[in-house]
Amino acid sequence: MDGALPDLLTLLERLIAVDTRNPPRKPDGLVALFAYVQAVTDAAGFDVEVRDLEDGCLWFRAVRGSGGMLMNFHVDTVPADPAWEGD
């Protein structure tokens, strides 16, 4: 794990930097995120499919091997409240 940690932290930094606030439903940030993840998963030998379901919804599927694991995630977040005072 020690050798992979710098790469993992770099990937995590790029993923966290993507603006996924909703509203507004503007998938630009997700399109950039999915393009990056698609490039990484393609390079790792995954069969990748991305679909734009419109209205800010994108679908991403990456398969490698015979399966056995499913990861399901939801990436949008609400905008920050100007009254927020702490972590």
Side-chain angles (χ1 to χ4, degrees), residues 18-19 24-33 52 54-58:
V18 175
D19 183 359
R25 280 198 177 275
K26 294 182 180 177
D28 299 347
L30 289 179
V31 168
L33 170 66
D52 185 346
E54 300 181 1
D55 196 28
C57 296
L58 298 171

Side-chain angles (χ1 to χ4, degrees), residues 54-69:
E54 300 181 1
D55 196 28
C57 296
L58 298 171
W59 182 80
F60 180 89
R61 179 175 178 259
V63 177
R64 182 172 68 179
S66 60
M69 179 185 295

Side-chain angles (χ1 to χ4, degrees), residues 19-24 77-82:
D19 183 359
T20 59
R21 290 176 293 176
N22 181 22
T77 53
V78 297
D81 185 320

Side-chain angles (χ1 to χ4, degrees), residues 41 46 59-64 68-74:
T41 52
F46 285 84
W59 182 80
F60 180 89
R61 179 175 178 259
V63 177
R64 182 172 68 179
M69 179 185 295
L70 171 68
M71 290 184 273
N72 185 21
F73 59 94
H74 184 163

